[in-house]
Amino acid sequence: MTENTRRDGLVGIGELSRRTGVPVRTLRFYCDEGILEPRRSSGGHRLFDPVTTVDQVLLVRRLRGLGLSLTAIAGVLTDAMSISEAVSAERAALDTELGALRWRRASLVAVEDAAPTRRAARLTLLSSVHDRHAAFDSLVALWRRLLAPLPSDMFDGFVAMNIPEPPAEPTARQVVAYAELVTVTADPASTRAMSRQLWRPGPADVHDKRVLLTGVAEACGAAGPLVVARVQPRSGAELDQFLAAHAAARRRRDTPRFRQRILHGGNDTDPRIHRYWKLTTEITGETTAGAAHYWLYRALERATKPGASMP
């Protein structure tokens, strides 16, 4: 160190290493990565202000001990972000990584536990959902197409209640159900079946799709508690609301003939539809709009039997 260096109060990299306990090669690495910004002597040696640089190096060590990236640490040192913001971002990244690991582990268990004759098929099924978030987005996209006229707030409510997000800590059974759910929705025939159940006969006759979707959603919401309570499908305000929505959207009256048309216009017994909602229930453990919709169909079926009276 030169006399001028001592007079300026600067220290070399060896002295900085002694004061901080950080190896010289690590300090050089920090300099090369832009974490530390040394000055240069006339001979090209790195020089540091011990007052500020010692604190910086110790802070870098603490943040690295928490697993923060060098990019995040550089942001803290340049005041581009606070320590709290950097730690929060690192925690969020770690949560994402842990979620992926839990999903991967559950998938491995699902393949391991499968019967030997089904192991290859299960492996193929689970490999189709290697990105669980993309799988969820594909489910949302499907329903967004089917429910296009639905107001955004109602659609968001439908998503929250009926489109399962990948479980944070999935079981082997849940990852298999999720993968199968995605496979079902990828089948165009399943999409057509769901669309027909929703719009029922003559989709072109529906003059106001928003009125229909809003009314059916409200009817399903009213029928949901009855499904949970295991109340047998029957005539009542819930069915009236369901039929009123279809009648208003088509600008028709609720007559016996109209009821027959609505009853037979959908394909509520399609096994693909039932499989979709059964898988959804396995993942969420909650009553779905699909179960409520089927309850309303069964109620209409009973109400239109010979001898049943109009409300």
Side-chain angles (χ1 to χ4, degrees):
M1 186 180 300
T2 65
E3 185 66 29
N4 286 340
T5 299
R6 287 195 296 271
R7 186 169 59 247
D8 293 339
L10 302 179
V11 299
I13 197 168
E15 177 63 17
L16 181 62
S17 174
R18 188 187 67 79
R19 295 191 186 193
T20 61
V22 176
V24 169
R25 64 181 180 183
T26 301
L27 293 174
R28 289 199 185 101
F29 174 72
Y30 289 161
C31 292
D32 294 340
E33 293 297 316
I35 302 299
L36 300 178
E37 296 183 0
R39 303 180 194 179
R40 291 283 183 174
S41 68
S42 57
H45 299 291
R46 294 181 175 93
L47 301 174
F48 305 88
D49 180 350
V51 176
T52 58
T53 308
V54 169
D55 288 340
Q56 284 182 332
V57 172
L58 295 178
L59 177 59
V60 170
R61 288 189 67 183
R62 297 187 188 105
L63 294 178
R64 287 294 281 173
L66 290 175
L68 266 68
S69 67
L70 291 178
T71 300
I73 292 173
V76 172
L77 294 180
T78 58
D79 293 326
M81 66 174 69
S82 66
I83 293 178
S84 177
E85 290 171 335
V87 170
S88 294
E90 185 65 28
R91 179 195 54 75
L94 183 59
D95 287 344
T96 299
E97 183 178 351
L98 287 173
L101 288 173
R102 292 189 188 102
W103 191 270
R104 181 185 172 195
R105 185 183 188 283
S107 298
L108 292 172
V109 170
V111 174
E112 184 180 26
D113 291 349
T117 55
R118 300 181 58 189
R119 196 161 291 155
R122 181 163 290 186
L123 178 61
T124 300
L125 176 67
L126 292 173
S127 65
S128 66
V129 191
H130 59 279
D131 186 336
R132 66 196 194 286
H133 296 300
F136 172 73
D137 291 342
S138 70
L139 296 178
V140 174
L142 165 69
W143 283 103
R144 192 178 297 280
R145 291 193 301 271
L146 290 175
L147 305 176
L150 201 65
S152 58
D153 57 336
M154 293 194 70
F155 179 76
D156 291 342
F158 179 88
V159 169
M161 294 182 63
N162 297 288
I163 304 180
E165 291 196 43
E169 297 186 13
T171 63
R173 183 170 181 170
Q174 284 177 318
V175 296
V176 172
Y178 209 94
E180 188 175 345
L181 187 68
V182 174
T183 301
V184 168
T185 56
D187 180 4
S190 297
T191 304
R192 289 193 295 270
M194 292 180 192
S195 179
R196 185 178 174 189
Q197 183 196 36
L198 183 64
W199 302 115
R200 310 197 79 78
D205 295 338
V206 178
H207 298 281
D208 195 328
K209 291 184 176 181
R210 178 171 293 195
V211 166
L212 175 59
L213 292 175
T214 301
V216 169
E218 291 173 351
C220 287
L226 302 180
V227 176
V228 174
R230 297 184 182 278
V231 175
Q232 288 298 309
R234 44 122 175 102
S235 296
E238 303 81 19
L239 179 58
D240 291 343
Q241 192 172 18
F242 176 75
L243 291 166
H246 278 281
R250 289 177 167 80
R251 299 174 186 171
R252 301 287 181 86
R253 291 189 304 111
D254 180 7
T255 64
R257 183 177 179 181
F258 178 79
R259 290 188 170 207
Q260 286 289 343
R261 189 162 180 257
I262 294 299
L263 174 66
H264 298 295
N267 52 348
D268 301 81
T269 59
D270 190 300
R272 288 165 296 201
I273 296 176
H274 287 275
R275 187 60 181 160
Y276 176 91
W277 292 113
K278 183 177 184 297
L279 291 167
T280 301
T281 301
E282 285 184 18
I283 297 166
T284 64
E286 299 177 356
T287 302
T288 63
H293 204 156
Y294 187 65
W295 188 96
L296 291 166
Y297 160 76
R298 293 291 309 281
L300 179 58
E301 187 179 42
R302 292 188 175 189
T304 53
K305 283 184 177 180
S309 59
M310 286 281 291

